[in-house]
Amino acid sequence: MTDIHPTAIVEDGAVIGEGVRIGPYSTVGPNVKLADGVILESHVVVTGHTSVGAKTHIFPFASIGHKPQDLKFAGEVSFLEIGANNQIREHVTMSPGTEGGGGYTRVGDNCLFMMSSHVGHDCQVGNHAILANNATLAGHVELDDFVILGGLSAVRQWSRVGTGAIVGGMTGVEFDVIPYGSVIGDRARLAGLNLVGLKRKGLPREQIHALRAAYRALFESTEGTLRSRAEAVAAEGADQPLVKTVTDFILEKEDRRFCTPRSED
């Protein structure tokens, strides 16, 4: 049974699934869709053209779907899509997209957004992401699956963070982070691989060893450019799935800059 507190405001047009619980003083806008089993605790605001997936749990004072923090936004219709089984904690903010970014902000499934984390306009967040307290994504950021952002970290607009990567607390990410990479520092520098995360996933040891060898070839060598080294590693490690994930990420787009162990690369 749906349970809507008497002090909550659910505007006409909102689509409310089965088993949804809307707590005291929460507000749901007319273009919002809440799937089955969604929970809004007290004082939650969900507005705009926002859809929230099944069993996602949103905690007090979260602000979801208000217009983007972008001076170029001119009131165009844009969307925020949030997947299933997410935990969105207190004071989290998530913005819809803009015309300049394709009009959609998307969040996957099974993510944890800790207190006061922020997802900016036009971001694309994968599954199983974790944003610790006060971690922030500027506009147009891409986070792949299983990314972890430490507390008070920030990712600059248009940056990409590859699958399985981890960003240390209070780290500012200016450039792309390779899959399974570990970055730290005032301005993020690559400090190695997220070996703890790889082992926790139970990946075969030989795949991890191949990835470590690829990392050395990519970032400990000074021959050629990073792109040329990635092309060579890709040719040698085409049968290694972890290596292929990293080299595909580097080679996917040209004219990208990456967090490396050395500021000059």
Side-chain angles (χ1 to χ4, degrees), residues 147-150 153-155 160-162 164-194 215 219 258-261:
V147 168
I148 299 175
L149 301 186
S153 61
V155 183
R160 299 181 300 155
V161 182
I166 185 168
V167 175
M170 298 185 288
T171 294
V173 177
E174 295 182 293
F175 308 120
D176 292 357
V177 180
I178 62 167
Y180 316 113
S182 173
V183 296
I184 59 173
D186 178 20
R187 290 296 181 265
R189 62 178 176 82
L190 193 60
L193 294 167
N194 182 14
Y215 179 90
F219 297 108
F258 296 86
C259 295
T260 69

Side-chain angles (χ1 to χ4, degrees), residues 31-52:
N31 298 305
V32 170
K33 298 179 181 179
L34 303 181
D36 296 350
V38 167
I39 298 174
L40 308 184
E41 299 288 356
S42 69
H43 301 86
V44 173
V45 177
V46 185
T47 189
H49 290 78
T50 298
S51 61
V52 182

Side-chain angles (χ1 to χ4, degrees), residues 14-254:
V15 177
I16 308 300
E18 296 182 1
V20 169
R21 192 173 82 217
I22 301 175
Y25 303 103
S26 291
T27 301
V28 179
N31 298 305
V32 170
K33 298 179 181 179
L34 303 181
D36 296 350
V38 167
I39 298 174
L40 308 184
E41 299 288 356
S42 69
H43 301 86
V44 173
V45 177
V46 185
T47 189
H49 290 78
T50 298
S51 61
V52 182
K55 298 184 179 179
T56 285
H57 191 168
I58 306 180
F59 286 77
F61 302 104
S63 177
I64 308 299
H66 276 290
K67 71 177 186 178
Q69 300 176 102
D70 183 351
L71 293 176
K72 298 186 297 299
F73 182 73
E76 64 268 22
V77 174
S78 60
F79 301 88
L80 170 60
E81 296 181 349
I82 300 171
N85 298 305
N86 294 295
Q87 291 191 55
I88 300 173
R89 297 303 305 247
E90 296 82 356
H91 298 280
V92 167
T93 52
M94 295 185 178
S95 302
T98 65
E99 184 178 10
Y104 282 85
T105 301
R106 295 183 177 90
V107 171
D109 303 330
N110 302 297
C111 299
L112 170 59
F113 298 89
M114 297 187 195
M115 183 271 294
S116 294
S117 55
H118 172 67
V119 177
H121 60 86
D122 303 294
C123 287
Q124 309 295 314
V125 179
N127 304 315
H128 302 279
I130 298 175
L131 275 66
N133 297 345
N134 296 286
T136 56
L137 305 180
H140 311 280
V141 168
E142 297 178 22
L143 289 193
D144 289 342
D145 297 345
F146 296 100
V147 168
I148 299 175
L149 301 186
L152 298 164
S153 61
V155 183
R156 192 181 71 167
Q157 63 267 28
W158 299 103
S159 297
R160 299 181 300 155
V161 182
T163 185
I166 185 168
V167 175
M170 298 185 288
T171 294
V173 177
E174 295 182 293
F175 308 120
D176 292 357
V177 180
I178 62 167
Y180 316 113
S182 173
V183 296
I184 59 173
D186 178 20
R187 290 296 181 265
R189 62 178 176 82
L190 193 60
L193 294 167
N194 182 14
L195 295 174
V196 173
L198 290 166
K199 291 174 181 176
R200 284 177 177 170
K201 291 181 68 174
L203 293 168
R205 181 174 298 179
E206 59 271 17
Q207 290 188 23
I208 296 176
H209 286 172
L211 180 61
R212 295 181 73 174
Y215 179 90
R216 290 192 293 269
L218 288 167
F219 297 108
E220 294 181 8
S221 172
T222 58
E223 296 182 3
T225 64
L226 176 59
R227 187 172 186 86
S228 66
R229 297 195 296 269
E231 289 170 346
V233 170
E236 295 175 3
D239 60 339
Q240 290 292 336
L242 297 183
V243 174
K244 188 175 187 303
T245 298
V246 174
T247 55
D248 284 353
F249 184 86
I250 294 172
L251 299 172
E252 178 184 2
K253 299 180 180 181
E254 295 189 18

